[in-house]
Amino acid sequence: GCMAVRVPGFRSCHGSGIIFVRRGDDVIPVRISEIAGISTGGEVVIIHLRDGREILGDMSLKEYARILDQTVFIRISRQWIINVTAIQKMSCGMLGSGHIYLDPDIDIVLSREKYAQILKLLSV
């Protein structure tokens, strides 16, 4: 059976791996496996795809965190949810800050504490 999850602007069948993003009168299907990360800079939420495209989200980061698989999509900061399978590498910066690099060329900078937490979380 297919279960529809009803959240504003969202309909998904578990297993289909697609979220539907509303853009005005259009609805854009986004393959969940194609999402590298989702970020917010306050008002706007941006879905970053692995092919470099960016799509404006129609929900808050909190709502996306709730509907996406939390073993794959991790909320690493107030600004970012990342797809752990999109991590290219992680490194510690010169000044103790941590960097997470996602497909295709996203560089997320984290504090030393936050970076240590993420490493522990991923058990790297």
Side-chain angles (χ1 to χ4, degrees), residues 5 9 14 23 25 30 33 56 79-80 88 96:
V5 179
H14 291 303
R23 277 277 65 78
D25 292 338
V30 176
S33 61
L56 277 177
Q79 280 82 37
W80 278 95
Q88 281 184 328

Side-chain angles (χ1 to χ4, degrees), residues 42-101:
E43 293 303 298
V44 194
V45 171
I46 298 169
I47 300 169
H48 303 263
L49 301 182
R50 288 172 186 249
D51 63 7
R53 284 185 301 149
E54 296 180 348
I55 294 172
L56 277 177
D58 61 353
M59 290 193 291
S60 69
L61 221 55
K62 192 176 187 174
E63 288 172 307
Y64 282 116
R66 200 171 66 226
I67 60 174
L68 293 168
D69 180 347
Q70 282 156 17
T71 58
V72 179
F73 288 88
I74 297 177
R75 179 89 184 249
I76 59 164
S77 68
R78 285 205 299 272
Q79 280 82 37
W80 278 95
I81 295 170
I82 63 165
N83 178 344
V84 294
T85 69
I87 296 174
Q88 281 184 328
K89 68 172 182 175
M90 300 173 69
S91 64
C92 215
M94 292 285 287
L95 303 168
S97 60
H99 293 258
I100 296 180
Y101 298 93

Side-chain angles (χ1 to χ4, degrees), residues 1-48:
C2 178
M3 207 176 87
V5 179
R6 295 229 163 265
V7 178
F10 174 78
R11 188 175 60 74
S12 172
C13 299
H14 291 303
S16 69
I18 288 175
I19 59 173
F20 295 92
V21 181
R22 288 183 191 282
R23 277 277 65 78
D25 292 338
D26 299 331
V27 176
I28 302 163
V30 176
R31 207 176 280 277
I32 291 171
S33 61
E34 290 300 309
I35 299 173
I38 304 175
S39 70
T40 182
E43 293 303 298
V44 194
V45 171
I46 298 169
I47 300 169
H48 303 263

Side-chain angles (χ1 to χ4, degrees), residues 106-123:
I106 299 165
D107 175 8
I108 302 168
V109 185
L110 296 169
S111 69
R112 186 186 305 214
E113 298 77 27
K114 201 74 185 164
Y115 183 71
Q117 279 174 7
I118 304 303
L119 283 180
K120 197 179 291 171
L121 193 64
L122 298 172
S123 312

